[in-house]
Amino acid sequence: MATIPLTKRGAEKLKEELHRLKTVERHAVIQAIAEARAQGDLSENAEYEAAKDKQGFIEGRILEIEGKMAAAQVIDPAALDAGGRVVFGATVDLEEESSGQEVTYQIVGDDEADLKQGLISISSPIARSMIGKEAGDVAEVQAPGGVKRYEIVEVRYI
């Protein structure tokens, strides 16, 4: 199985979700199934079917998270020293050459990506175009509206 890169923060979030699913959600759905069973005929019991569906989702998500955690390579961005190069976990300040708009992104694992928070997936086109580059370099990204050029202003490991 291939390793899955995760930042330290992303691994902690997955652990928290796994703990919540096992300790809170799983018990709540078991209680809901028990209450639905107490209502009698299960063949026409919508509450029972809904609770069983939710149980299936929860158990599937638990297995998914456990699999990811087993294959995870947890990287602490603060402990990186990549000599100023853009690598997984780096926080990068960019300036779009045509508009002068400045943006900041941190390169994270696929499960952690959230563009609204400035977290972009390692497999995204913009992240792939920046990997290995340094401050002052230009990253070209093929966007739906054409090629966009970003100058790398600063690379930080936080």
Side-chain angles (χ1 to χ4, degrees):
M1 182 178 223
T3 60
I4 300 169
L6 283 175
T7 63
K8 191 175 179 183
R9 181 180 60 226
E12 288 169 4
K13 283 185 177 180
L14 281 179
K15 284 179 188 173
E16 288 170 9
E17 182 182 358
L18 183 62
H19 179 73
R20 180 182 51 78
L21 287 171
K22 285 184 169 182
T23 59
V24 178
E25 301 288 332
R26 183 184 266 170
H27 295 294
V29 79
I30 289 171
Q31 184 64 35
I33 290 171
E35 289 173 8
R37 274 193 179 139
Q39 293 177 7
D41 186 12
L42 298 180
S43 64
E44 295 181 15
N45 190 328
E47 289 86 7
Y48 178 76
E49 290 299 322
K52 289 297 281 185
D53 287 346
K54 186 172 181 178
Q55 182 183 35
F57 170 78
I58 289 169
E59 295 302 323
R61 183 68 180 149
I62 287 171
L63 288 174
E64 180 183 358
I65 292 172
E66 287 175 339
K68 286 178 182 176
M69 293 303 294
Q73 177 183 2
V74 180
I75 298 167
D76 184 0
L80 291 175
D81 182 19
R85 290 188 335 268
V86 177
V87 294
F88 178 86
T91 300
V92 185
D93 297 328
L94 302 169
E95 181 179 331
E96 186 182 354
E97 287 189 343
S98 62
S99 68
Q101 178 184 4
E102 292 190 11
V103 292
T104 300
Y105 294 126
Q106 181 180 17
I107 301 174
V108 297
D110 293 335
D111 293 318
E112 304 170 75
D114 184 351
L115 192 57
K116 291 179 182 174
Q117 294 182 5
L119 305 173
I120 59 171
S121 167
I122 184 72
S123 59
S124 69
I126 190 165
R128 288 195 320 257
S129 72
M130 291 189 296
I131 295 293
K133 292 189 169 41
E134 300 176 346
D137 290 349
V138 174
E140 291 187 359
V141 182
Q142 182 63 46
V147 176
K148 290 193 175 229
R149 295 171 48 92
Y150 292 94
E151 180 181 345
I152 299 172
V153 178
E154 184 180 6
V155 179
R156 296 173 280 143
Y157 311 105
I158 50 176

